[in-house]
Amino acid sequence: MTTRWKVAGSILLSFVVTVALGAVLFANGYGPLALADRSGRVGTGEGKSRIDRALRATMDGVSPSFTYAGAEFEVRREDDLWDGERSMGSAVTEIVTVRTAVSRAKLPTLMDQVTQAWKALGSRVVDRSNPADEIQALRGMGDMGGETFLTFYARAQQDSSYLVMFRAEAIGVLYQPAHEYKPVPPLVRTSLDAKVDVIDDPYWSH
């Protein structure tokens, strides 16, 4: 009788462990649909390399060069699959913040330089904001090993200068949490909520 209870207990324990393990795998993207969902996704390294290249080309296209505050990442995970499993697809955006203050007079020059840098990448500008808007923006898209979206933002400050950010986004990337990504070298990670102490530049700020 005791042996029979031990065997039954062992079977029950194995069942509980199996169910618990299955639930953990299901919740973390290793269920049957989630595994199938991985196929055709861009690897995280490849997606990161694509947006790094776009940002590097944008940064290098600015002359005279800027001083940069740093970079941050946003990851938008795709909706759950129909059976409730977490999708393994995501959109990854890397955002570079410019520390150099840009004057209203020099902003059109900067936007033209960014446009040329994007064209050299094979990306086309699909939208340019009205010059009277408080936030000046360029939006571009192109195929740099996969569909890549580019955005330029310039937000007016109280002294009539602009705080500028460059953004590059890759879609269909295999999911990885945002904190796992490292900024485009040699930038450090800088939260988008952090206050940026802008600097005055002899050319861009006047």
Side-chain angles (χ1 to χ4, degrees):
M1 188 73 172
T2 303
T3 302
R4 208 177 297 168
W5 278 110
K6 284 182 179 179
V7 171
S10 178
I11 292 172
L12 179 61
L13 179 61
S14 296
F15 175 76
V16 170
V17 169
T18 300
V19 170
L21 181 60
V24 170
L25 291 173
F26 184 92
N28 287 279
Y30 290 94
L33 289 184
L35 287 173
D37 187 42
R38 292 171 183 268
S39 63
R41 299 293 184 184
V42 177
T44 53
E46 183 182 343
K48 174 67 164 53
S49 176
R50 191 195 307 167
I51 57 180
D52 276 358
R53 185 164 66 90
L55 288 171
R56 175 57 63 200
T58 305
M59 294 161 67
D60 289 347
V62 176
S63 179
S65 60
F66 279 148
T67 298
Y68 294 92
E72 183 59 296
F73 290 88
E74 291 176 346
V75 174
R76 296 193 322 277
R77 197 167 189 172
E78 294 177 12
D79 293 340
D80 290 352
L81 303 173
W82 65 264
D83 65 347
E85 292 180 68
R86 302 298 305 275
S87 171
M88 295 310 296
S90 68
V92 182
T93 305
E94 187 171 4
I95 306 108
V96 171
T97 302
V98 175
R99 194 174 174 211
T100 302
V102 179
S103 70
R104 184 179 298 274
K106 292 292 170 52
L107 191 63
T109 300
L110 175 59
M111 295 176 81
D112 288 342
Q113 289 188 7
V114 169
T115 298
Q116 291 306 311
W118 290 358
K119 284 182 178 178
L121 279 171
S123 178
R124 66 188 187 280
V125 173
V126 293
D127 185 36
R128 184 165 182 157
S129 61
N130 187 306
D133 292 346
E134 181 181 352
I135 294 179
Q136 293 293 291
L138 292 170
R139 293 178 178 83
M141 63 181 296
D143 191 338
M144 287 165 269
E147 198 169 39
T148 306
F149 298 94
L150 301 169
T151 313
F152 164 97
Y153 281 118
R155 189 172 67 243
Q157 305 298 292
Q158 290 182 344
D159 62 357
S160 296
S161 68
Y162 285 84
L163 180 66
V164 172
M165 289 189 295
F166 303 137
R167 302 168 62 103
E169 178 186 54
I171 61 174
V173 180
L174 197 61
Y175 173 75
Q176 176 173 281
H179 64 80
E180 295 290 339
Y181 286 95
K182 305 298 181 188
V184 54
L187 299 182
V188 297
R189 190 161 195 136
T190 300
S191 169
L192 295 178
D193 297 328
K195 185 180 184 303
V196 176
D197 294 322
V198 296
I199 62 172
D200 185 81
D201 180 86
Y203 177 80
W204 288 111
S205 305
H206 302 278

